[in-house]
Each structure stands twice: as structure tokens, then as C-alpha cells.
Amino acid sequence: MTSVAAQTLAAIEESASSQQRRIRVLTLTPFYPSSLDPAQGLFVSDPLPLLKDFSVSNTTIAVEPFYRVRSRPSEAQPADWIRYFSLPGNLGLATAGEFLAGRLLKQVFGASPSFDLIHAHAALPCGHAASILSKRLSIPFVVTVHGLDAFFTQQAGKIVGSWCQQVAQDVYRSAQIVVCISGTVRERVLSRSEVNTAVIYNGVDSERFAPADQPTSPLVVLSVGNLIAIKGHRSLLCAFSQISKEFPGCLLEIVGDGPERGRLKELAADLNIANGVRFYGRQSRDFVADAMTRCSVFALPSEYEGLGCVYLEAMSCAKPAIGCYGQGIEEVIEHGITGMLVPPNNINELAESIRILLSNKDLRARIGAAARTGILRRFTLQHQASELARLYRGCLP
């Protein structure tokens, strides 16, 4: 979209929104950028400033249990941070919402302006708290499910998980709408609860994540994500070891941190590819954007992904992205057209996809251009904010 067209569209939307009733929304979330982790919860914070273009005012409260290191607001993404009581670890998940609701009733709703609607992120604890507040204050609430573990059974284990599942089901049934970040996530929700659902995909900042001059040397395979087992970095290292000798000087750059970092470094050494792998740890948004504009191919063979904003960001930079079948990104990437899809944990097919893309510059450019076009059509922050505003209005009398 040209800048003139974008400005015209914005003017039309602003004119239309000025005639609409202003909606006051309370966003309640455990995921949000802080001074400790500026990249946490950007999928929640990024569309919020754009809501004002649709006559939606937003107040954000970010929450954390009392036993964690205290977060401080991010200067770039301000929010009110509230701490609440919870039993440590997964044991406290099923009851934490009650403690959080009590804290909010006392501290927030006693003196602050009223809200028309609460938007909670994740069923536990925020959705649970929102369901309690909704009944006490007679205002509707919606809850967004961000991951495939919609009922916390995988996260909390068998015994505690069954308790969490029951509470989560109650939350989904009492919500006006359960917002899912992909159709794959919606299927998980509907597999155990007959509830009202809507799919609103996460959006990407298409100006920050924008194409740059195509790199010539060296070739770079980039991966961005938390270093946890389900993200598939072990498969990526093994795949890279299969093709690295064919592309002398090619680098594998890994951005992110987590408990798997030490083991992944050991694996790179065992595979004799340590000289070609760069572990950058957790980095800023600007660093990630720059890395995506420089890379040749983006790959994250995650085996458990509700959607994955990093794929959208890479595609917005006109880069071919490789993801896995069976994940939310399968609804965005059209295999061979706007990216590549491989089965989870299939090292050989992952290596072959990387090989095909690295060996054909024209193919990379063609897929990258199609990916960028697809993002601009459906998956920008403007799309996300517009759909959220429409959903909010549909929840009110």
C-alpha cells in the first residue's frame, strides 16, 4: 500500500470512527513489555495504540505473581503493573484468578473510571479474574487464547492440569467471545468447550519490518525464538549441519534465550558447525528487525505454535520463512508460494527446504515478495486493531 493510499484509508477510518460511540476497554494481561524484558508480550501491546483510530480507549494492567522479580514499566510500552498472591509454580494457576480479582476490585475499580468491557489475555489467571469482575460489575469480557495449550493441561501436568482445565472451560463459557489467534487454536478450544469463538490473527508492524536491499554475502539462516525444546532448534542445528558444507561461509544466527541454550551450543560443537553458528541471546526489537532484513532465509521449525509473530515479521521483511505443518502458521504460509512448510522434527525435509532456498536467489526473492504482499493484505497491526474494535462493538448492547 502506498503512503498516499494509507493516509487516505486512515482519514476515512478516522472520519467514520469519530461518529461512533467511544468504548473504554480494560486490557488485563500477564504478557507485556517491561524494563526487564522489552520484547515480552509485544503481540498484546503493539496494536493497542492503533485502537484510538477506531474510537476505542484502552487502559492496560499487566499482572505478575508476587514471588517473581518485580517488573518495571517499559518506557516505550507503559502500563500499570499489579502483583497478586498465588501459590508458586503451576500449582497456583487454578486459583490465582480469584486472588487477582480481589486485588483489582480493591485497587482499580474502587476509584478509577468505569470500563465498558474487559479484554483478558489467557484464561488463567486473567480470564478467570475477568469472569469474576464481569459478574460483580455487570460488564462483558472477552478472553484471548494465545497458544495451543488452551486448557493448561500440558503446562500444568495431569493432576493440576485437570483442575486448570475445568476452570479454563468455565472461563470460556462465561466469556462473551473467546478470541483465538488462529484457526488451529480455535480447534483446540472447541475440542473441549462449545463456546462462542472468533479468530483474530496477530498483526505485524509492516513499517518497522520492511524489505531492505537483498544481501549478497554471506548467506544467513536466521531463527528467532525462546530456546526451549518445542521451538525445534535442535532440528535446525542438525539440518544446518547437513547443508553447511555446500554453502561455505553461510551462517546460522539464533536470537533468543532459554534453558536449552547450553545444550544447543554443545550440539553445535558436536556437529562441528560451531564456527558457523551465532547465538545472540535475547535482543531488542530493533536488533531483530535488522537481522531479518539481512538474512537470506528465516526458519523456526516449532512443533507447538499457536501462530508465531516472528514468521509474520520475517515475511513482512520479504523473506522466505520456514515453519511446520500442523501449527497456526500453516494458515498464513502457502507452501512454495509465500514460504515453506515441513513436518515437525523432520530434519531431512527441513535441510532440503533450506538447501533449495539458499541455492536459488530468484526463488527467495519471488517467495519473499509474495510473503510481503500477503502480510500487507491481511496481517498488519492495522488489520488486527480494526478487527478488535469491531469485536468489541459486537459485545456491547
Side-chain angles (χ1 to χ4, degrees):
M1 182 183 293
T2 66
S3 60
V4 173
Q7 291 172 2
T8 301
L9 177 60
I12 294 173
E13 290 175 340
E14 182 177 359
S15 175
S17 65
S18 65
Q19 303 174 25
Q20 294 178 321
R21 166 194 171 191
R22 180 161 294 276
I23 300 175
R24 299 161 298 179
V25 175
L26 170 64
T27 295
L28 192 60
T29 176
F31 322 112
Y32 211 73
S34 69
S35 59
L36 292 175
D37 189 354
Q40 175 185 244
L42 289 167
F43 48 84
V44 174
S45 64
D46 276 355
L48 297 183
L50 301 178
L51 288 172
K52 65 180 185 300
D53 295 333
F54 302 95
S55 296
V56 176
S57 63
N58 177 78
T59 298
T60 301
I61 295 179
V63 306
E64 61 186 358
F66 77 98
Y67 55 81
R68 290 186 183 169
V69 176
R70 184 181 294 273
S71 296
R72 302 295 180 186
S74 164
E75 292 184 5
Q77 306 274 13
D80 294 326
W81 281 84
I82 283 185
R83 294 164 70 81
Y84 61 91
F85 177 79
S86 174
L87 295 173
N90 294 327
L91 187 62
L93 274 174
T95 57
E98 297 178 30
F99 294 110
L100 177 57
R103 181 69 188 274
L104 291 168
L105 280 170
K106 179 179 179 181
Q107 183 170 335
V108 178
F109 288 91
S112 68
S114 60
F115 299 98
D116 299 304
L117 179 141
I118 303 172
H119 186 169
H121 290 271
L124 308 178
C126 290
H128 188 193
S131 68
I132 296 171
L133 295 171
S134 174
K135 294 174 183 177
R136 290 285 299 273
L137 303 170
S138 299
I139 56 175
F141 82 99
V142 301
V143 58
T144 291
V145 185
H146 290 279
L148 294 181
D149 191 8
F151 296 92
F152 296 82
T153 48
Q154 178 170 327
Q155 177 180 339
K158 185 175 182 180
I159 298 177
V160 176
S162 61
W163 188 10
C164 291
Q165 176 181 320
Q166 183 59 58
V167 177
Q169 285 179 313
D170 291 342
V171 170
Y172 297 147
R173 292 189 186 108
S174 60
Q176 194 90 350
I177 295 178
V178 180
V179 183
C180 305
I181 62 168
S182 67
T184 304
V185 171
R186 176 160 65 180
E187 290 176 6
R188 294 295 180 99
V189 172
L190 293 177
S191 68
R192 295 182 180 177
S193 290
E194 294 184 6
V195 295
N196 191 18
T197 61
V199 173
I200 297 181
Y201 294 98
N202 291 332
V204 60
D205 184 341
S206 57
E207 294 184 0
R208 169 176 276 182
F209 292 90
D213 293 337
Q214 289 293 319
T216 55
S217 180
L219 293 170
V220 174
V221 178
L222 175 67
S223 189
V224 180
N226 294 327
L227 302 188
I228 55 179
I230 61 173
K231 295 293 184 178
H233 292 102
R234 292 183 65 85
S235 294
L236 181 58
L237 286 170
C238 292
F240 186 73
S241 72
Q242 289 188 16
I243 59 92
S244 58
K245 292 182 179 179
E246 299 178 40
F247 304 94
C250 181
L251 297 175
L252 171 59
E253 297 184 350
I254 298 177
V255 178
D257 208 350
E260 287 288 300
R261 184 170 183 172
R263 286 184 284 271
L264 292 173
K265 283 189 171 183
E266 291 178 2
L267 179 59
D270 292 341
L271 294 170
N272 295 316
I273 58 172
N275 289 338
V277 181
R278 304 286 185 269
F279 289 92
Y280 288 113
R282 184 178 290 119
Q283 294 291 336
S284 69
R285 200 74 178 288
D286 289 339
F287 183 98
V288 171
D290 181 65
M292 287 185 171
T293 59
R294 290 187 295 100
C295 77
S296 309
V297 174
F298 179 85
L300 184 66
S302 180
E303 60 189 79
Y304 203 74
E305 199 77 54
L307 180 62
C309 291
V310 288
Y311 302 104
L312 305 182
E313 291 167 352
M315 295 170 72
S316 185
C317 290
K319 303 299 179 179
I322 302 174
C324 287
Y325 287 110
Q327 315 306 307
I329 195 59
E330 185 179 6
E331 301 165 35
V332 179
I333 293 178
E334 186 177 359
H335 180 67
I337 305 298
T338 61
M340 304 286 270
L341 294 167
V342 299
N345 300 310
N346 192 313
I347 295 170
N348 291 335
E349 288 201 30
L350 176 59
E352 183 61 20
S353 294
I354 296 173
R355 179 185 290 111
I356 290 171
L357 290 169
L358 291 181
S359 62
N360 193 327
K361 181 179 179 181
D362 291 340
L363 178 63
R364 294 199 305 271
R366 185 164 62 251
I367 289 179
R372 169 76 177 177
T373 298
I375 292 296
L376 294 180
R377 284 176 178 168
R378 294 182 59 197
F379 301 103
T380 67
L381 291 177
Q382 288 79 7
H383 289 106
Q384 185 182 3
S386 174
E387 292 184 28
L388 283 172
R390 187 179 301 112
L391 180 138
Y392 294 158
R393 293 192 181 282
C395 291
L396 299 180

